[in-house]
């Protein structure tokens, strides 16, 4: 949606997933990838059946989607679309085939990604500071507050 001109879409809400993830790291609210599973509950939601998904924990939902978006972008930029497709194909044969697709296990990939986030020149420190403040004050409404503020950024 960002490429189509809507930077306010969830989970970015006016800022990059990388900036959000840095804010979650800085605020102590980072959600490790190992905590994200195929179930909706680990993403802050509940499946009521029949396509009825309910958000139980908006802050956790936002953290999960922003972290997953940032990590997915890292994999795409650093390993390419062919490896992403390979991972997808292999996932039908075995659960989470990280090493077969990327040559590293999930913990190693996560560590490299976080290191890259900490040195990413595209991440604006002033945005991370603003987002860190928002999530520390009210993690469940930070995304809504960020949408309001994003139009006022330089």
């Amino acid at each position: 949606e960002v490429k189509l001109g809507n930077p306010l879409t969830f989970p970015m809400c006016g800022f990059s997933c990388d900036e959000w993830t840095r804010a979650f790291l800085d605020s102590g609210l980072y959600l490790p990838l190992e905590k994200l599973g195929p179930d909706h509950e680990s993403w802050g939601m509940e499946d009521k059946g029949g396509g009825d998904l309910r958000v139980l924990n908006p802050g956790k939902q936002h953290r999960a989607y922003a972290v997953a978006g940032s990590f997915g972008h890292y994999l795409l930029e650093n390993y390419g679309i062919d490896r992403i497709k390979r991972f997808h194909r292999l996932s039908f044969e075995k659960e989470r085939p990280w090493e077969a697709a990327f040559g590293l296990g999930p913990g190693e990939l996560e560590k490299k990604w976080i290191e890259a986030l900490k040195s990413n020149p595209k991440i604006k420190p002033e945005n991370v500071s603003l987002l860190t403040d928002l999530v520390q004050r009210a993690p469940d409404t930070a995304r809504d507050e960020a949408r309001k503020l994003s139009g006022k950024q330089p």
Side-chain angles (χ1 to χ4, degrees):
E1 290 188 38
V2 169
K3 289 186 180 192
L4 296 174
N6 186 5
L8 296 178
T9 190
F10 177 80
M12 287 82 61
C13 305
F15 298 87
S16 76
C17 285
D18 291 344
E19 290 171 331
W20 279 108
T21 300
R22 280 286 305 276
F24 297 138
L25 284 163
D26 291 355
S27 66
L29 292 171
Y30 173 71
L31 187 61
L33 295 174
E34 68 183 17
K35 301 280 186 187
L36 298 177
D39 60 294
H40 294 289
E41 289 79 17
S42 68
W43 294 72
M45 300 178 294
E46 174 185 34
D47 188 349
K48 300 290 265 180
D52 184 11
L53 286 178
R54 305 252 171 125
V55 176
L56 299 176
N57 184 331
K60 185 175 185 180
Q61 180 204 34
H62 185 219
R63 289 192 317 269
Y65 276 82
V67 164
S70 176
F71 183 63
H73 184 256
Y74 168 81
L75 292 177
L76 183 62
E77 291 293 312
N78 290 276
Y79 294 91
I81 191 68
D82 289 336
R83 294 250 189 120
I84 301 278
K85 289 178 180 179
R86 178 173 167 72
F87 180 78
H88 177 70
R89 278 192 308 275
L90 290 171
S91 69
F92 291 105
E93 299 169 16
K94 63 181 188 173
E95 191 174 314
R96 298 188 178 202
W98 297 104
E99 289 186 32
F102 301 108
L104 297 170
E108 296 166 291
L109 285 167
E110 184 171 20
K111 183 178 177 187
K112 287 180 69 134
W113 159 60
I114 288 173
E115 288 171 6
L117 275 178
K118 290 179 178 178
S119 63
N120 184 341
K122 293 179 183 176
I123 294 176
K124 296 178 181 177
E126 62 274 15
N127 287 352
V128 174
S129 179
L130 171 73
L131 296 175
T132 300
D133 182 55
L134 291 176
V135 298
Q136 285 177 329
R137 280 192 284 130
D140 286 349
T141 60
R143 63 187 183 193
D144 299 323
E145 293 302 315
R147 278 191 184 110
K148 292 176 194 172
L149 295 172
S150 68
K152 300 175 186 172
Q153 296 299 308

